[in-house]
Amino acid sequence: MTDLKTNEGLRILRNNYIGHLAFIAQNKPFTVPITYYFDSKDNSIISYSGNGHKIEAMRKNHFVSLQVDEVQSVHNWESVLVHGTFEELNGDDAKKKLHLFADGVKSIIHSKERKEVEFINEFSSKRYSGEHSIVYRINILEITGKRKET
């Protein structure tokens, strides 16, 4: 196993849109899959969610991690771990970042999967009947990663 260089970790973040978000709630660690977009201009992760357990936990403890991997087999994989801080976005900033998120994820899906998607609900399971979505950013503090090749 070898360490990834920072630029290799950034490549993995840039080329994917599904990761595992880790946060602390009631003194216990939780990990959930999320759809995300890596915003290279802000060096941050953009995502959104409905108001609930995850958002409430991140509001109380802003320190989070995001793990993203590319696995070909048990003997051939790369994994990147981002440590950062949760920031809830509001107003125009939230609208702009949600638009960036949607366009970015659509572009990755088109590039990797050769599929055309038009709407967020085609690549995100979040369907909130009228519920207000929370747009958030993970401000990246540190990136580490590992690779295994045989």
Side-chain angles (χ1 to χ4, degrees), residues 21-86:
L21 178 69
F23 57 94
I24 300 294
Q26 300 170 349
N27 294 319
K28 293 186 233 174
F30 287 83
T31 305
V32 294
I34 64 165
T35 305
Y36 77 91
Y37 178 71
F38 173 62
D39 182 353
S40 59
K41 288 183 184 174
D42 284 351
N43 194 43
S44 66
I45 303 295
I46 306 299
S47 191
Y48 78 105
S49 180
N51 203 10
H53 173 76
K54 171 177 60 189
I55 294 296
E56 291 301 318
M58 292 190 299
R59 285 175 177 154
K60 290 178 183 171
N61 183 340
H62 290 223
F63 292 100
V64 298
S65 295
L66 179 74
Q67 184 271 331
V68 179
D69 55 34
E70 293 180 346
V71 178
Q72 279 68 50
S73 74
V74 71
H75 302 291
N76 186 0
W77 53 263
E78 294 178 310
S79 178
V80 64
L81 182 63
V82 171
H83 295 287
T85 56
F86 164 82

Side-chain angles (χ1 to χ4, degrees), residues 111-149:
S111 172
K112 283 185 82 168
E113 302 172 22
R114 304 288 183 233
K115 285 176 29 182
E116 293 291 333
V117 292
E118 196 170 336
F119 303 106
I120 281 181
N121 67 357
E122 294 178 71
F123 55 82
S124 177
S125 64
K126 296 162 189 69
R127 293 183 187 170
Y128 305 114
S129 52
E131 184 182 332
H132 175 68
S133 294
I134 311 292
V135 180
Y136 63 92
R137 162 177 34 219
I138 298 170
N139 297 299
I140 297 173
L141 300 173
E142 179 184 24
I143 298 174
T144 61
K146 296 284 185 186
R147 167 187 298 121
K148 183 171 184 180
E149 292 176 300

